Amino acid sequence: SMQLLPLYRDGELQGSTVMYRPGVERPLALDGTYVGDIGFDPLGFTNVIDLKWLREAEIKHGRVCMLAATGMIVQDVATFPGVGKTFGAAKMTELHDVAVKMG
């Protein structure tokens, strides 16, 4: 059997009664069916762009950021051929300044 979203109160979905700012009307796409949905969309993006697309884009951007953070760490731990000759022993936080000085 398929497990359904737990109910907050009898017959009410999680988040459907919670508002990020009291007195503001909840956007139609944010109906409380997603975990953590409190109706937060101050710029009204969900009125223009499909919520599923926005969710997918957020996941993709988060994954790209994790790869970028890993890349920053790897720059300080590993030495790649040719980098030492060009930039010396500069660490990640110094690379920008070294590259600017080089032109």
Side-chain angles (χ1 to χ4, degrees), residues 14-77:
Q14 290 181 0
S16 62
T17 59
V18 180
M19 298 296 289
Y20 85 94
R21 199 171 78 196
V24 175
E25 190 172 323
R26 175 183 283 276
L28 294 176
L30 300 177
D31 58 2
T33 55
Y34 288 112
V35 174
D37 176 11
I38 58 170
F40 183 77
D41 185 17
L43 300 177
F45 288 128
T46 56
N47 297 330
V48 182
I49 304 171
D50 182 27
L51 186 60
K52 290 179 183 177
W53 187 89
L54 290 171
R55 254 184 107 204
E56 185 70 26
E58 187 70 20
I59 291 169
K60 182 183 86 172
H61 293 142
R63 289 176 179 164
V64 169
C65 289
M66 286 187 274
L67 285 172
T70 303
M72 290 169 50
I73 294 167
V74 168
Q75 289 180 60
D76 283 349
V77 176

Side-chain angles (χ1 to χ4, degrees), residues 3-16 32-33 35:
Q3 189 174 11
L4 299 175
L5 180 71
L7 297 174
Y8 176 67
R9 289 191 204 126
D10 189 29
E12 290 183 21
L13 292 172
Q14 290 181 0
S16 62
T33 55
V35 174

